[in-house]
Amino acid sequence: LSWPEAPKIVTKEIPGPKSKEILEKEDTYETVTEMAPRGIPMAWSEAFGSTVKDPDGNMYIDLVAGVATNNVGHSHPKVVEVIRRECAILMHNGGAPNLPRQRLGEKLSQIAPGKLKGNVKITYGLSGSSAIEIATKFAKKATQRHFVASFEGSYHGAIGTTLDLGTSARGRGIRGAYRPFSPFVLHLGPYAYCYRCPFNLKYPECDLQCAKYVEFQIGSPRSGLDAQDIAAIVIEPIQGEGGYVPPPEGFLSYIKKVCERFGILFIADEIQFGMGRAGKFFSIEHYGVEPD
Ligand SMILES: Cc1ncc(COP(=O)(O)O)c(C=O)c1O
């Protein structure tokens, strides 16, 4: 399911002349966001499996998979077949009821982790950012509280509340130009980053000092936070942009218990590590914790 000849470079330099023209025109007509992928200056003309062609005939191996969106590779024949079939029957209908949509909701509900299985309601977002934005909105409405919190090193998106939630390098890079931030967004931490432990401790002798510190931040009147007004904590079960950090056993369940004690909802951001990318459909399933 990839072109076996890749990688193969046929032009003297990268970008080749056709790629170069496209890149220059893109620069002229489009805003360049922080995220524009120009690590290799090339335009894409076609991709298949884990290989890519540029318009000058060069072939590359793709290690990005469309920011991990193409879990099954580019243009997998089964995916292409379904998209073709469905587009020929029904395209945009403004969210009106239809059978594939109903089936998808049912399926997602059936694979929800733990006791949530068969017991959740689905809302469809347009992107990772919008999914997290919607989750925080719902949490505020459900709890009638004002604040949402995230972790040091997190990345939750590039718009609105999600932009304010993120503190990873990527988040900061995007945030820099968009002050002021919401006063109703809190940053907790540290995340359980054992390889670079901010407490300079070793797991398990550390006794999860990081989780205990978060408990202090939330629970102690001396920390300055008002736990009774925190609607939700948004957390990546495995941190992505913050350094690809799987927390040790016990961290997420500790945070979940703290949330339960203070009536705070636990929102798992599965945008980067969910959908099977960490081996189970939702990465939080590795830790036996149920999000809200
Ligand atoms: C953990 C996490 N949450 C949210 C997002 C935002 O997703 P999107 O870029 O689709 O808005 C990302 C994107 O990288 C992410 O890694």
Side-chain angles (χ1 to χ4, degrees), residues 2-276:
S2 290
W3 291 306
E5 313 92 278
K8 191 173 153 201
I9 301 300
V10 295
T11 53
K12 273 213 192 81
E13 49 183 25
I14 306 284
K18 289 184 183 154
S19 264
K20 198 157 182 259
E21 191 185 339
I22 293 171
L23 296 183
E24 281 169 7
K25 287 197 173 157
E26 246 194 26
D27 281 347
T28 306
Y29 296 112
E30 281 188 42
T31 60
V32 178
T33 71
E34 294 284 338
M35 286 179 279
R38 292 282 174 89
I40 297 177
M42 57 169 280
W44 293 45
S45 57
E46 253 184 287
F48 186 48
S50 51
T51 47
V52 187
K53 282 183 193 168
D54 74 14
D56 298 290
N58 297 307
M59 295 173 97
Y60 311 81
I61 293 175
D62 174 26
L63 299 174
V64 181
V67 285
T69 302
N70 298 319
N71 281 12
V72 293
H74 295 279
S75 303
H76 190 288
K78 285 193 179 163
V79 175
V80 172
E81 185 198 322
V82 173
I83 292 174
R84 275 217 179 99
R85 190 185 67 218
E86 293 303 320
C87 282
I89 302 171
L90 182 65
M91 287 182 81
H92 200 288
N93 73 351
N98 61 76
L99 184 59
R101 180 191 179 106
Q102 177 262 301
R103 280 192 182 143
L104 177 61
E106 194 174 345
K107 204 159 206 176
L108 287 171
S109 170
Q110 288 306 325
I111 59 169
K115 289 197 222 64
L116 297 179
K117 185 176 153 72
N119 191 27
V120 286
K121 288 197 186 283
I122 317 290
T123 293
Y124 299 109
L126 300 175
S127 64
S129 305
S130 78
I132 303 303
E133 191 74 36
I134 291 166
T136 58
K137 259 170 66 181
F138 283 3
K140 285 187 201 167
K141 185 162 186 213
T143 58
Q144 293 293 302
R145 296 178 176 190
H146 293 102
F147 288 88
V148 285
S150 62
F151 271 82
E152 271 176 22
S154 62
Y155 181 75
H156 297 293
I159 51 166
T161 314
T162 68
L163 180 69
D164 294 350
L165 284 168
T167 74
S168 68
R170 180 171 167 196
R172 272 202 314 278
I174 302 169
R175 281 154 56 101
Y178 304 106
R179 292 188 169 85
F181 305 132
S182 164
F184 292 101
V185 167
L186 306 170
H187 298 124
L188 305 169
Y191 192 83
Y193 196 167
C194 297
Y195 185 66
R196 295 193 171 90
C197 175
F199 297 109
N200 220 3
L201 295 171
K202 286 258 173 299
Y203 179 83
E205 297 85 58
C206 64
D207 204 20
L208 290 171
Q209 280 312 309
C210 48
K212 289 185 172 164
Y213 186 68
V214 170
E215 184 177 29
F216 162 79
Q217 284 181 302
I218 293 173
S220 166
R222 284 181 293 143
S223 78
L225 305 188
D226 178 4
Q228 305 306 322
D229 205 17
I230 302 176
I233 291 179
V234 186
I235 187 165
E236 293 161 88
I238 299 175
Q239 227 176 38
E241 298 299 316
Y244 306 94
V245 187
E249 198 53 49
F251 176 73
L252 293 174
S253 52
Y254 200 108
I255 301 297
K256 178 77 199 293
K257 282 204 189 94
V258 173
C259 284
E260 282 167 2
R261 206 164 93 228
F262 292 98
I264 298 168
L265 297 176
F266 182 108
I267 298 174
D269 179 343
E270 293 276 357
I271 302 302
Q272 186 153 157
F273 276 100
M275 319 312 129

Side-chain angles (χ1 to χ4, degrees), residues 238 273-283 285-286:
I238 299 175
F273 276 100
M275 319 312 129
R277 294 184 196 106
K280 296 188 189 278
F281 197 85
F282 296 106
S283 63
E285 291 174 82
H286 286 288

